[in-house]
Amino acid sequence: MDDSDRELESRGHAFCRYADDCNIYVRSEASGNRVMASVTQFLESKLKRRVNREKSAVARVEERKFLGYRLLSDGRLGIAPRSLERAKDRIRSITRRNRGIRPDRMISELNSFVTGWVTYFRHAAMKGQLTALDGWIRRKLRCVRLKQCKRVKPRVDFFIRQGVSRRQAWCTALSGKGWWRKSGTPCANQAMPTRWWEGLGLVNLVHRYEALQAS
């Protein structure tokens, strides 16, 4: 693709390319359409390379992704929505409530994935998204922990050991709500707060991100 790089440079275009993935930046939609047509013709006619028209488009810069990132309107890097959704799909798979594995193993698998993921996306402006993702992960884990108690009495005993009042423990354990709703109750949050999960070794994504930003 060096020939295409030289061609784009000779035309004075701002662009970013990795392998066969390339974004070209212009000032208007009309310019984008002209450049798309001329570059497509150059690649297919002169370099004999087929352009994937399903993946190619003229769009606002913040609507397109590149290597999982997107460029925000203020010039900062952000994470592409699809990249975040793929990460959540992987986390859903790890934290399935019917897996029947020990919490420490589940946390280890989570840490292995999310540590590498946040390290890759460390250049993105996404602290708010990571804060929400941290909370979502902890709630998924609370679902798992509550279900693993299996019966009402062990669930009550767990709550009480975690400092929840006996009355509140029984009310929550006897609730007919589903696991997701139970995991968001004040009782579940009191029994399994952020510091409790961090004590079990769960990586805090925001803290990891901030450490990477400072390094």
Side-chain angles (χ1 to χ4, degrees):
M1 296 294 288
D2 288 346
D3 290 337
S4 67
D5 290 350
R6 286 192 289 270
E7 179 67 17
L8 292 173
E9 289 170 355
S10 71
R11 299 184 186 189
H13 291 314
F15 68 95
C16 187
R17 181 183 69 81
Y18 181 83
D20 61 352
D21 194 358
C22 183
N23 281 5
I24 304 171
Y25 305 101
V26 296
R27 293 184 180 276
S28 68
E29 183 178 357
S31 296
N33 288 323
R34 287 196 301 271
V35 171
M36 172 72 82
S38 64
V39 169
T40 297
Q41 182 179 24
F42 173 79
L43 290 172
E44 294 186 335
S45 298
K46 294 192 175 181
L47 299 187
K48 308 302 180 184
R49 292 182 177 273
R50 186 177 66 85
V51 175
N52 189 327
R53 287 168 171 75
E54 292 183 0
K55 293 184 177 180
S56 302
V58 176
R60 296 180 65 86
V61 67
E62 60 267 25
E63 295 174 4
R64 303 298 293 173
K65 66 182 181 67
F66 186 73
L67 303 180
Y69 284 88
R70 63 173 178 151
L71 191 61
L72 303 178
S73 57
D74 61 4
R76 294 180 301 161
L77 284 175
I79 184 171
R82 182 61 187 138
S83 299
L84 183 59
E85 195 54 44
R86 278 199 298 267
K88 293 181 77 171
D89 286 343
R90 177 65 178 138
I91 292 167
R92 287 186 186 98
S93 176
I94 294 172
T95 59
R96 291 195 315 275
R97 294 193 292 273
N98 61 356
R99 290 191 68 199
I101 64 172
R102 290 173 54 87
D104 57 346
R105 179 182 164 190
M106 186 172 287
I107 288 173
S108 177
E109 289 182 19
L110 267 175
N111 287 345
S112 178
F113 170 70
V114 300
T115 299
W117 181 82
V118 77
T119 299
Y120 177 80
F121 286 107
R122 65 190 181 277
H123 301 297
M126 59 173 185
K127 186 174 179 179
Q129 291 162 307
L130 290 180
T131 299
L133 190 59
D134 268 331
W136 183 74
I137 288 171
R138 288 192 296 269
R139 188 165 178 180
K140 296 283 288 181
L141 290 172
R142 287 198 297 270
C143 283
V144 173
R145 183 64 184 86
L146 291 176
K147 186 178 181 183
Q148 287 181 341
C149 290
K150 295 184 179 178
R151 294 182 299 277
V152 171
K153 186 58 167 63
R155 203 168 302 134
V156 170
D157 293 341
F158 169 72
F159 283 143
I160 292 173
R161 287 198 306 271
Q162 295 301 109
V164 176
S165 71
R166 182 174 296 274
R167 179 179 177 279
Q168 192 177 19
W170 275 104
C171 284
T172 303
L174 289 170
S175 169
K177 296 176 181 177
W179 297 114
W180 182 252
R181 292 185 67 188
K182 281 192 180 82
S183 69
T185 61
C187 182
N189 278 284
Q190 181 183 345
M192 295 172 280
T194 300
R195 63 181 180 278
W196 187 75
W197 289 111
E198 291 178 354
L200 293 177
L202 180 66
V203 167
N204 185 298
L205 295 180
V206 172
H207 294 169
R208 174 66 178 169
Y209 175 74
E210 289 176 336
L212 290 165
Q213 296 291 299
S215 63

